[in-house]
Amino acid sequence: MAAAIIAAPPAAIDFNVLDLEEFQLQLDIGQISTDPRNASQPQRGKQFTAHVSATIPIPSDPTVRTHLSNPIVIFNNGFQIDSSQYTTYSHHLASQGYLTLRYYIDWDYPWPAIDHQDLADCILRLMQVVGESAQLKPYWPSGPGRFVLMGHSRGGKLAIFATCRLAELRIQGICVEALILLDPVDAKDPKAADRMQQLREEFPPTLILGSELGKRKRSFMFFASACAPEDCNYEVLYRRAQDVVGVDAVQRVVQCM
C-alpha cells in the first residue's frame, strides 16, 4: 500500500531537521538523457532555473545511517503557491528520516511557451541532476536514485506527468517509488488521467488525499473558476488510478471540512 512506502522509521531513531540555504540548479530540458552518465550534458534546449530548498534529516546518533536508504521526497507546489508554504510538510517528513526537496522554477519564455509537459520534464531533470549538487553530497553521499513525488493541486498532476514521462523514456538510474497527491487537480489538456491509462502495471503505489473543498466557483468575475472543479478533482484521479493500478495499490483519504 502507498502509505507503507513512507512509514516512519523505528521510534528509537530521532532526527533533527536542517534547512539548507536555498540553492539553484540549472535545468536544460532540450533533450532529457536516458543514460545517467550523460544526465548533466543534454543538448541545449529550453533553459530553466530551479530554486531548490532542501530539508535534511540529521540523526541525533551520528552512527545511524539507515535513513540514507530512504527515497528522497520531491514536493511539487500548487499553481501560484510559493514553495515556502509547504515548509511544515518538509519538516515533518525530515523528522521521520526523509530528505525533502521543495522548488520553484524560473523561465525566460513568454506565455504560453511553457506548459505542463515542460514542468514535468523539469521534475525529471531535477531528479537527474540533484545528485550532483555540492549542497546535498555531504548529507546524501551516495546520490539519489529513488524518489517519492508529492504534489498539491496542479503539483499532483505534474507528479503524475513526470512519472509517466519517466516510464516513457526508460531513464536509467531513477525510480519513482510512490506518489502522494494532495487534492490533485487535473485541469487543462492533456489530462493526467489519460496519461495514467498508458502505464498500467508500471504505475507506482499512490496515496490520494482530498479535502472536499473548491468544487464550486466562489467569485462572480467572468474569468474566475472553481479551484478544484468536480470534473477534474481528486475523485476523478482516484477512480482512474484504481482502474490503472488496482484497488489494493491506491489509497484515498477524504478530509471533510
Side-chain angles (χ1 to χ4, degrees), residues 15-74:
F15 291 96
N16 299 312
V17 173
L18 172 67
D19 280 319
L20 288 189
E21 191 171 324
E22 183 181 285
F23 58 94
Q24 296 182 1
L25 293 174
Q26 298 303 313
L27 307 179
D28 185 334
I29 64 169
Q31 177 182 331
I32 295 177
S33 174
T34 58
D35 186 337
R37 293 170 298 181
N38 301 325
S40 61
Q41 299 169 333
Q43 296 179 3
R44 290 182 60 82
K46 288 183 179 180
Q47 302 287 318
F48 301 92
T49 301
H51 300 263
V52 182
S53 299
T55 306
I56 313 291
I58 306 295
S60 55
D61 179 352
T63 65
V64 170
R65 309 286 289 175
T66 54
H67 65 293
L68 296 178
S69 63
N70 290 339
I72 286 179
V73 179
I74 296 181

Side-chain angles (χ1 to χ4, degrees), residues 120-135:
D121 283 351
C122 282
I123 298 171
L124 291 192
R125 288 294 297 141
L126 180 60
M127 289 192 284
Q128 286 186 311
V129 304
V130 72
E132 304 164 8
S133 164
Q135 291 86 348

